[in-house]
Amino acid sequence: MEPLIRHIHHQLHLTTEEQQQVIRHFTRINVAKKAIILKEGSYCRDLFFVEKGCLRLYFIDEKGREQITHFAIENWWLTDYLAFDTANTAAFSIQAVENCTLLQISREQLDNLTQAVPLMDRYFRLNLQRAFGAAQRRIMMMYEKSKEDYFYEFNEKHPEFVQRVPQYMLASFLGLTPEYLSELRKKLR
Amino acid sequence: MEPLIRHIHHQLHLTTEEQQQVIRHFTRINVAKKAIILKEGSYCRDLFFVEKGCLRLYFIDEKGREQITHFAIENWWLTDYLAFDTANTAAFSIQAVENCTLLQISREQLDNLTQAVPLMDRYFRLNLQRAFGAAQRRIMMMYEKSKEDYFYEFNEKHPEFVQRVPQYMLASFLGLTPEYLSELRKKLR
């Protein structure tokens, strides 16, 4: 079964006909490691579902450094949601951290899809509810925790992920220097 | 027309019959200023829509201080989404900043509502898409901006709001001391 259909079926049931309609609205793309699939300042037309691989969302800060704020691995959705929602230019870029297989859907196609298969509105609602809930907790952590505590907590929750992505990217995401992250990891061992 | 129905109609059209079904699934409650409608550690059963008034979402940090992370005014939805989604205990509390008129809906009633009026899944999807997009930008700001810059930007975007809520609450939300916020406001004048 398609990874997306499997992911949907964790939450609700689609008929075979509906499954085919869902798949028909997406374009499957293979992108090589380091490929940029959304560029800050360009129009954000698409939402991406990761079938295989890993994406990072980042922006260029005032000092000209890349700052990663989100990753997406298998079964995660990613885009600059505000730009996608308002058909506006992106404030973030998205790059492939590994070779990826992605499902891509434009805003118009997403509208067509939810007209054709209204249950997909529910699927996205439930996903976004969880994603927004996670963002609320992350904002809480950013107020409360030191960056060190955030690393320890993140490492405990997502150990495979900490192993998987390049360390300088993880450092950027955590707001640490790569050297300091390396020290913290040594302490953990 | 009911404020909620007006808000829905900005995004999609409901028939008169559907509008009545929507309203039937909610309970309207009046809560006095300072009333707690969700308490950290208790089960989070409800989602709230603000018809009138202002709510704040906050947690108690490691030093025992209240830390505000979200506000909701007219036409905003508020809950601890992760706790609501997983029918779990809340990590946040919600308190009325002013006397409020709210629409309240439980997780079960929300399920019933979206079964009865599937278009409501679309309404919530579009709202959550925007809310999550705003959270992505806020996380960006938290990485990038100094707290001073965040205040100036927030003040420019939401001037009425900065006037409306008590200054010590605004200071908590912005991560500033009330004294420092007062200095920044003087500089602005």
Side-chain angles (χ1 to χ4, degrees):
Chain A
M1 200 193 278
E2 307 260 359
L4 173 57
I5 299 299
R6 209 160 47 224
H7 194 246
I8 295 169
H9 275 203
H10 286 148
Q11 301 180 65
L12 45 89
H13 179 75
L14 297 181
T15 64
T16 311
E17 164 62 18
E18 285 171 329
Q19 293 175 31
Q20 286 163 355
Q21 279 195 293
V22 168
I23 294 303
R24 232 179 282 138
H25 283 82
F26 286 89
T27 309
R28 179 176 284 109
I29 56 171
N30 290 304
V31 295
K33 183 175 167 171
K34 299 203 174 169
I36 305 272
I37 58 171
L38 175 67
K39 207 169 158 37
E40 187 183 331
S42 68
Y43 278 95
C44 178
R45 297 179 209 279
D46 298 301
L47 174 62
F48 300 97
F49 176 79
V50 181
E51 280 198 345
K52 200 176 159 304
C54 177
L55 300 173
R56 67 181 182 115
L57 182 93
Y58 64 96
F59 67 96
I60 308 295
D61 74 11
E62 287 166 337
K63 293 181 182 148
R65 290 171 311 200
E66 286 182 4
Q67 176 60 61
I68 301 173
T69 61
H70 294 76
F71 287 101
I73 55 173
E74 286 79 12
N75 295 324
W76 283 69
W77 292 92
L78 195 65
T79 194
D80 176 344
Y81 276 94
L82 210 61
F84 178 73
D85 184 72
T86 54
N88 222 316
T89 53
F92 295 97
S93 298
I94 301 180
Q95 187 186 37
V97 175
E98 306 168 356
N99 293 332
C100 291
T101 306
L102 308 172
L103 295 182
Q104 178 179 28
I105 192 167
S106 69
R107 195 160 165 271
E108 292 70 33
Q109 279 294 83
L110 179 60
D111 280 346
N112 294 341
L113 168 60
T114 59
Q115 301 278 354
V117 186
L119 268 180
M120 288 302 287
D121 270 326
R122 177 162 315 152
Y123 166 75
F124 282 109
R125 168 174 74 81
L126 294 171
N127 262 286
L128 283 162
Q129 199 165 279
R130 213 156 304 141
F132 184 69
Q136 281 184 317
R137 298 293 171 98
R138 183 160 166 206
I139 288 167
M140 177 199 254
M141 297 261 296
M142 290 177 89
Y143 274 97
E144 181 174 44
K145 301 261 186 229
S146 69
K147 288 171 178 178
E148 293 73 22
D149 289 344
Y150 188 42
F151 165 68
Y152 292 127
E153 191 156 326
F154 190 80
N155 184 60
E156 206 170 287
K157 269 195 200 158
H158 310 284
E160 354 63 49
F161 190 77
V162 169
Q163 295 302 324
R164 182 169 168 176
V165 301
Q167 292 308 292
Y168 74 94
M169 288 189 187
L170 188 64
S172 165
F173 175 73
L174 296 167
L176 302 168
T177 64
E179 296 72 27
Y180 191 47
L181 175 60
S182 160
E183 268 180 50
L184 290 178
R185 296 194 65 182
K186 271 185 212 145
K187 272 194 214 165
L188 263 190
R189 279 186 219 120
Chain B
M1 198 190 284
E2 307 260 359
L4 174 58
I5 299 299
R6 208 160 46 225
H7 193 245
I8 295 169
H9 275 203
H10 286 147
Q11 301 180 64
L12 44 90
H13 179 74
L14 297 181
T15 65
T16 310
E17 164 62 18
E18 285 171 329
Q19 293 174 32
Q20 286 163 353
Q21 281 196 291
V22 169
I23 292 305
R24 233 179 282 138
H25 283 82
F26 287 88
T27 309
R28 178 176 284 109
I29 56 172
N30 289 304
V31 295
K33 183 174 168 173
K34 298 202 174 171
I36 306 273
I37 58 170
L38 174 67
K39 205 167 159 40
E40 188 183 332
S42 67
Y43 279 94
C44 178
R45 298 178 209 281
D46 297 302
L47 174 64
F48 301 96
F49 176 80
V50 181
E51 279 197 347
K52 199 173 160 305
C54 177
L55 299 173
R56 68 182 182 115
L57 181 93
Y58 65 96
F59 66 96
I60 308 295
D61 74 11
E62 287 165 337
K63 293 180 183 149
R65 291 172 309 203
E66 286 183 5
Q67 176 60 62
I68 300 172
T69 62
H70 295 76
F71 287 102
I73 54 172
E74 287 78 14
N75 295 324
W76 283 68
W77 293 91
L78 195 65
T79 192
D80 175 344
Y81 276 93
L82 210 59
F84 179 73
D85 183 72
T86 56
N88 223 317
T89 53
F92 295 96
S93 299
I94 301 180
Q95 187 186 38
V97 176
E98 305 169 354
N99 292 333
C100 291
T101 306
L102 308 172
L103 295 182
Q104 176 178 27
I105 191 167
S106 70
R107 196 162 166 269
E108 292 69 34
Q109 278 295 82
L110 179 59
D111 279 347
N112 294 341
L113 168 58
T114 60
Q115 301 279 353
V117 186
L119 268 181
M120 287 303 287
D121 270 326
R122 178 161 313 151
Y123 166 74
F124 282 109
R125 169 174 73 80
L126 294 171
N127 262 286
L128 283 163
Q129 197 165 280
R130 213 156 303 141
F132 184 70
Q136 282 184 317
R137 298 294 172 98
R138 181 159 167 207
I139 289 168
M140 178 199 251
M141 298 262 295
M142 289 179 89
Y143 274 96
E144 183 174 45
K145 301 261 189 233
S146 69
K147 287 169 178 177
E148 293 73 22
D149 289 344
Y150 188 43
F151 165 69
Y152 291 128
E153 192 156 326
F154 190 81
N155 185 61
E156 208 170 289
K157 269 193 198 160
H158 310 284
E160 355 61 50
F161 189 77
V162 169
Q163 296 301 328
R164 181 168 169 177
V165 300
Q167 292 308 292
Y168 73 94
M169 290 191 186
L170 189 64
S172 166
F173 175 72
L174 295 168
L176 302 167
T177 63
E179 296 73 25
Y180 191 47
L181 175 60
S182 160
E183 269 180 49
L184 290 178
R185 297 195 65 181
K186 271 185 211 145
K187 271 194 215 165
L188 263 190
R189 274 183 225 123

